């Protein structure tokens, strides 16, 4: 009897050791999979963020080979810099225009495509194809179209309209850049909205129609709440992307005319690579990071008020 108990105890102990070994192997395997991501994040995200914060406390001029600790002097300079205020306003105008036009147009196109009419495949391809086109190539093409003697004004002249020099007038330059960016990325948001719309149960809309709800009332009270998580996602992506715009400004307007299209990222580029003020440029980048973080956090915190299923 004692021998039987000893064998049973040994089997349980062996089984426990095997389970413990298997658990350790699973844990090590998990760490092996996530380690490259953690190392990459530390080297390429966290490390640069810490470095930029440190550089922002210095007067760093590469040409003069100077790197002097100045504390919060760069931040005080930023507050007193009217050019920074202008770039902040330009970024606000660009972001507001892009979000309204991009999200609104993408939702409208998705609703149209969700009707399952003939030609929707071609229509979808037409609006999504700019997404996969090189950003620089797309911007250069629009730069030619928006010149004083470019394709847009050539078309307008055929109907008796004398078009302006779109990229060289303060009242049209920012609008032109916004429109170029809208047509570049609206296809991606359109596909996201279309996927959300196709996930709305048809029986709910049918029940609303039977109860006498109009198409607009059904869309406003049923469809919008059900796709609100996608609206939140698209809004966050669009706002963050709008605050990071650079190539379009650099290729189309170089921040002009004047400073009307000098957004924050282009202003940062000017300070760093044109004026060699890397410490001050780091300060601008820290402020830009904080703006993006705050806007994202605000959107995330307010989601419970209007996003369906959020409590």
């Amino acid at each position: 009897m004692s021998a039987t108990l000893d064998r049973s105890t040994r089997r349980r102990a062996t089984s426990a050791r095997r389970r413990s070994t298997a658990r350790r192997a699973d844990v090590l395997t998990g760490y092996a999979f996530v380690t490259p991501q953690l190392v990459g994040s530390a080297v390429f995200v966290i490390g640069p963020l810490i470095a930029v914060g440190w550089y922002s406390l210095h007067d760093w001029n590469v040409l003069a080979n100077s790197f002097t600790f100045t504390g919060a002097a760069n931040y005080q300079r930023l507050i007193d810099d009217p050019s920074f205020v202008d770039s902040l306003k330009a970024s606000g105008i660009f972001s507001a225009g892009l979000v309204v036009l991009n999200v609104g147009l993408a939702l409208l196109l998705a609703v149209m495509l969700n009707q399952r009419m003939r030609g929707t495949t071609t229509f979808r391809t037409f609006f999504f194809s700019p997404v996969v086109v090189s950003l620089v190539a797309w911007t250069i093409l629009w730069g030619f179209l928006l010149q004083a003697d470019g394709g847009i004004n050539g078309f307008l002249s055929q109907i008796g309209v004398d078009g302006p020099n779109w990229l060289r007038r303060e009242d049209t330059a920012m609008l032109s850049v916004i429109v170029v960016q809208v047509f570049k990325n609206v296809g991606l948001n359109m596909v996201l909205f279309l996927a959300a719309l196709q996930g709305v149960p048809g029986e709910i809309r049918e029940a609303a129609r039977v109860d006498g709800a109009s198409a607009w009332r059904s869309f406003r009270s049923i469809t919008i709440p059900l796709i609100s998580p996608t609206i939140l996602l698209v809004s966050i992506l669009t706002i963050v992307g709008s605050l990071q715009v650079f190539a379009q400004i650099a290729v189309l307007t170089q921040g002009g005319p004047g400073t009307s299209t000098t957004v924050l990222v282009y202003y940062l580029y000017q300070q760093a690579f044109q004026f060699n003020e890397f410490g001050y440029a780091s300060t601008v980048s820290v402020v830009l990071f904080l703006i993006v973080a705050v806007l994202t956090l605000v959107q995330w915190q307010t989601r419970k008020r209007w996003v369906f299923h959020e409590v």
Side-chain angles (χ1 to χ4, degrees), residues 232-233 235-237 239-241 243-244 288-303:
L232 174 66
L233 171 65
S235 299
I236 292 176
L237 292 177
I239 290 176
V240 172
L243 291 171
Q244 296 175 342
L288 177 60
F289 170 77
L290 292 176
I291 291 173
V292 172
V294 168
L295 288 176
T296 303
L297 182 61
V298 168
Q299 291 182 90
W300 186 252
Q301 291 299 322
T302 57
R303 76 191 189 281

Side-chain angles (χ1 to χ4, degrees), residues 164-185:
N165 192 342
W166 298 93
L167 300 175
R168 295 296 176 262
R169 288 178 48 172
E170 291 190 6
D171 57 340
T172 59
M174 180 61 80
L175 176 61
S176 300
V177 176
I178 292 173
V179 170
V180 170
Q181 184 65 6
V182 166
F183 282 120
K184 177 69 174 67
N185 289 331

Side-chain angles (χ1 to χ4, degrees), residues 68-118:
T68 307
F69 182 80
T70 59
N74 282 329
Y75 292 92
Q76 183 60 49
R77 175 184 170 186
L78 198 69
I79 295 173
D80 299 332
D81 187 357
S83 296
F84 171 73
V85 176
D86 291 340
S87 68
L88 198 60
K89 292 179 181 178
S91 289
I93 294 172
F94 180 86
S95 297
L98 183 66
V99 170
V100 172
L101 291 178
N102 196 323
V103 176
L105 181 59
L107 183 57
L108 175 62
L109 294 174
V111 171
M112 294 173 61
L113 288 174
N114 198 43
Q115 304 304 313
R116 305 183 185 278
M117 298 180 295
R118 293 182 58 184

Side-chain angles (χ1 to χ4, degrees), residues 168-306:
R168 295 296 176 262
R169 288 178 48 172
E170 291 190 6
D171 57 340
T172 59
M174 180 61 80
L175 176 61
S176 300
V177 176
I178 292 173
V179 170
V180 170
Q181 184 65 6
V182 166
F183 282 120
K184 177 69 174 67
N185 289 331
V186 70
L188 178 60
N189 290 341
M190 177 192 71
V191 171
L192 294 175
F193 279 134
L194 181 60
L197 288 171
Q198 291 178 346
V200 176
E203 56 269 19
I204 298 180
R205 291 196 298 267
E206 181 64 22
R209 188 186 65 82
V210 171
D211 287 341
S214 63
W216 168 246
R217 180 61 184 273
S218 176
F219 179 77
R220 182 170 59 88
S221 301
I222 297 176
T223 304
I224 291 295
L226 289 178
I227 68 171
S228 55
T230 303
I231 296 176
L232 174 66
L233 171 65
V234 169
S235 299
I236 292 176
L237 292 177
T238 305
I239 290 176
V240 172
S242 69
L243 291 171
Q244 296 175 342
V245 63
F246 171 76
Q248 300 88 327
I249 302 296
V251 173
L252 291 175
T253 64
Q254 296 80 48
T259 59
S260 60
T261 59
T262 303
V263 294
L264 279 174
V265 176
Y266 193 77
Y267 181 71
L268 186 158
Y269 161 79
Q270 287 179 321
Q271 297 301 317
F273 299 104
Q274 293 183 4
F275 307 142
N276 299 299
E277 296 282 352
F278 283 87
Y280 187 58
S282 298
T283 307
V284 177
S285 67
V286 170
V287 173
L288 177 60
F289 170 77
L290 292 176
I291 291 173
V292 172
V294 168
L295 288 176
T296 303
L297 182 61
V298 168
Q299 291 182 90
W300 186 252
Q301 291 299 322
T302 57
R303 76 191 189 281
K304 295 180 181 180
R305 299 182 181 179
W306 60 276

Side-chain angles (χ1 to χ4, degrees), residues 14-32:
T14 301
S15 177
R17 286 196 298 271
R18 288 175 179 173
R19 288 195 298 269
S20 177
T21 301
R23 283 196 296 270
R24 285 197 298 270
D26 290 340
V27 170
L28 291 175
T29 301
Y31 279 124

